[in-house]
Amino acid sequence: MRTRRGLCYPRVVEDKNMRVLKRRRDFAADQVSYRKRSRNSSDIAGKRDLFDSLPDDLVISILCKLSSSATCPSDFANVLLTCRRLNGLGLNSLVLSKTSQKTFAIRAKNWSEFAHRFLKLCADAGNVEACYTLGMIRFYCLHNRGSGASLMAKAAISSHAQALYSLAVIQFNGSGGSKNDKDLRAGVALCARAAFLGHIDALRELGHCLQDGYGVRQNITEGRRFLVQANARELAAVFSTSANPTRPLFTWNPLPLPHPHPHPRTVNSGGGGGGCPLLSDFGCNVPAPEAHPANRFMSEWFAARAGIPGPGLRLCSHVGCGRPETRRHEFRRCSVCGTVNYCSRACQALDWKMKHKAECTPTERWVDEDGDGDGNGNGNGDNGGDGGGEDGVNVNDDVMPDS
């Protein structure tokens, strides 16, 4: 009988006088090996591992399917940890170029040099999603503006709608530079390209720009048409992403109670505001779209830092955005309450329908972080802009009035 180490128990022998004798073992004769047993044991000697016989191109094809359909980072990471061959073939440039967006859904608390290196490998392999995600992280979180902007531009050249819209937001705000670095016409052009590719927020932003004449010649009718089209695409996206199409995707509720402190322009216009409200303003409870992994990463990154991206800097108040200011007073704030600020009109419109509509309370004079009264936001306040846009978004550089 053998132990787990392969050693034999001493044999027990009884002599004629019924005495138990233990025979001493001869370790030299037994020639016991203490080394780990080989994976190819003698009972399968002569047989070859079938996995080793598979050609590399077939394994790479399978890994491409796996990486493109992964639903979380661990789905692909577990394959890389299986064996040395899968690790080597899994880091092939063809496999990395096919990696899905959800594979890059790295949580901010799990950020490490390995995660950074993996995203860099995917970006170098030509993965557009990796270029955009790593570009956003470098630009806003790691303060590497030049490298982050170049990675987003690389994704935008490949017609990545999200990258085009993010570059438009950077151009509108002059992010990474001074206020004089704003390029409104470039922002409108990038928004138009992203909207053409089906980006809903870019289409909504373009509609506001046309309504208010912001970076483009004013065309109120065309702007409102784009806003209606953005609402229709928003609803179509809800239907297309539903797992259970037989279940009602939205419910029709009566309009909520009137706002306790309505906007003066809304009161004067008879309550309609002359705008094109979002679907939820009619009582349709449309679920909020899922945030992009890059936006979720930024939200978690700055939430771990008490929501303060830097001295005197603020975050976009829309919960699904996560963009921080790169200089003081970069984002525009609500001219009614002065307590929220947004990186874009699209974020303002989405946050208005989600929560700010019930929280916004007019303030006669609000004070900024330094204690200097800013009144109506650089003297324009509620009367600037056209006032007929969706949710009353204004064109002023530092204020965004709500409806």
Side-chain angles (χ1 to χ4, degrees):
M1 186 174 182
R2 292 180 177 272
T3 64
R4 294 178 63 181
R5 290 180 176 269
L7 302 177
C8 294
Y9 288 108
R11 297 179 180 178
V12 179
V13 181
E14 296 182 358
D15 62 356
K16 296 180 179 179
N17 297 328
M18 302 302 293
R19 290 182 301 176
V20 178
L21 300 177
K22 291 184 178 180
R23 179 177 298 180
R24 303 184 100 187
R25 296 181 54 243
D26 187 0
F27 288 94
D30 290 345
Q31 297 180 354
V32 179
S33 175
Y34 291 92
R35 291 180 301 175
K36 201 172 186 180
R37 290 185 63 187
S38 174
R39 184 170 296 181
N40 296 326
S41 55
S42 59
D43 54 344
I44 61 172
K47 296 182 180 179
R48 189 178 180 184
D49 192 353
L50 296 180
F51 177 71
D52 294 335
S53 64
L54 294 176
D56 288 350
D57 56 350
L58 178 60
V59 178
I60 290 176
S61 177
I62 296 174
L63 291 175
C64 287
K65 293 288 186 180
L66 175 64
S67 63
S68 62
S69 60
T71 58
C72 62
S74 60
D75 288 349
F76 187 65
N78 290 335
V79 176
L80 299 181
L81 298 175
T82 303
C83 66
R84 181 175 299 179
R85 188 187 182 199
L86 285 179
N87 183 275
L89 297 178
L91 297 179
N92 184 278
S93 60
L94 182 60
V95 178
L96 296 179
S97 65
K98 302 291 185 180
T99 308
S100 66
Q101 170 185 316
K102 294 186 177 180
T103 308
F104 307 130
I106 303 172
R107 310 303 293 265
K109 62 180 179 180
N110 298 329
W111 180 253
S112 62
E113 185 61 31
F114 173 78
H116 194 172
R117 187 166 59 251
F118 176 73
L119 280 175
K120 182 66 168 58
L121 288 174
C122 294
D124 292 341
N127 192 299
V128 180
E129 281 291 342
C131 291
Y132 171 69
T133 303
L134 183 59
M136 291 284 285
I137 293 174
R138 284 186 175 180
F139 188 88
Y140 288 108
C141 300
L142 305 182
H143 305 288
N144 192 344
R145 314 292 187 196
S147 177
S150 64
L151 284 171
M152 284 188 278
K154 182 179 178 181
I157 292 174
S158 301
S159 298
H160 189 271
Q162 192 75 30
L164 287 164
Y165 175 68
S166 295
L167 289 175
V169 173
I170 292 176
Q171 295 294 333
F172 282 136
N173 297 321
S175 301
S178 64
K179 189 175 181 179
N180 297 327
D181 293 326
K182 295 181 179 181
D183 192 342
L184 305 184
R185 296 184 64 181
V188 171
L190 290 168
C191 267
R193 177 60 179 168
F196 174 77
L197 295 174
H199 196 277
I200 299 176
D201 288 342
L203 183 60
R204 184 172 288 125
E205 188 80 15
L206 184 61
H208 288 305
C209 291
L210 286 169
Q211 278 198 142
D212 303 328
Y214 191 67
V216 67
R217 180 177 296 179
Q218 188 176 23
N219 190 334
I220 298 176
T221 303
E222 193 71 10
R224 291 178 179 174
R225 186 177 70 85
F226 283 167
L227 295 178
V228 172
Q229 189 176 357
N231 294 337
R233 289 188 182 182
E234 183 183 39
L235 183 60
V238 174
F239 277 101
S240 62
T241 57
S242 174
N244 186 9
T246 59
R247 182 176 175 267
L249 297 176
F250 61 90
T251 57
W252 183 263
N253 296 329
L255 289 174
L257 295 177
H259 198 280
H261 304 285
H263 196 276
R265 184 172 62 247
T266 305
V267 176
N268 297 333
S269 61
C276 175
L278 295 174
L279 293 170
S280 59
D281 294 332
F282 290 110
C284 300
N285 296 327
V286 180
E290 183 180 0
H292 191 277
N295 296 94
R296 190 177 68 178
F297 181 92
M298 292 191 299
S299 299
E300 295 176 354
W301 180 275
F302 294 110
R305 289 154 179 78
I308 303 176
L313 303 181
R314 304 165 297 182
L315 293 173
C316 180
S317 298
H318 177 40
V319 67
C321 179
R323 288 183 177 87
E325 290 182 323
T326 59
R327 67 176 187 278
R328 290 173 55 82
H329 306 298
E330 176 184 338
F331 294 163
R332 291 153 293 190
R333 67 176 71 188
C334 175
S335 65
V336 179
C337 63
T339 59
V340 294
N341 42 266
Y342 304 101
C343 66
S344 63
R345 292 161 178 75
C347 282
Q348 189 271 347
L350 291 173
D351 189 64
W352 173 258
K353 73 166 186 173
M354 289 176 63
K355 64 175 184 177
H356 190 57
K357 187 175 183 178
E359 300 172 352
C360 186
T361 303
T363 305
E364 293 295 334
R365 184 177 179 85
W366 34 266
V367 182
D368 62 9
E369 292 80 356
D370 295 333
D372 300 328
D374 201 14
N376 290 327
N378 292 349
N380 290 325
D382 304 335
N383 298 323
D386 172 69
E390 178 188 31
D391 300 318
V393 183
N394 195 9
V395 302
N396 295 320
D397 288 340
D398 299 305
V399 292
M400 277 187 174
D402 292 318
S403 59

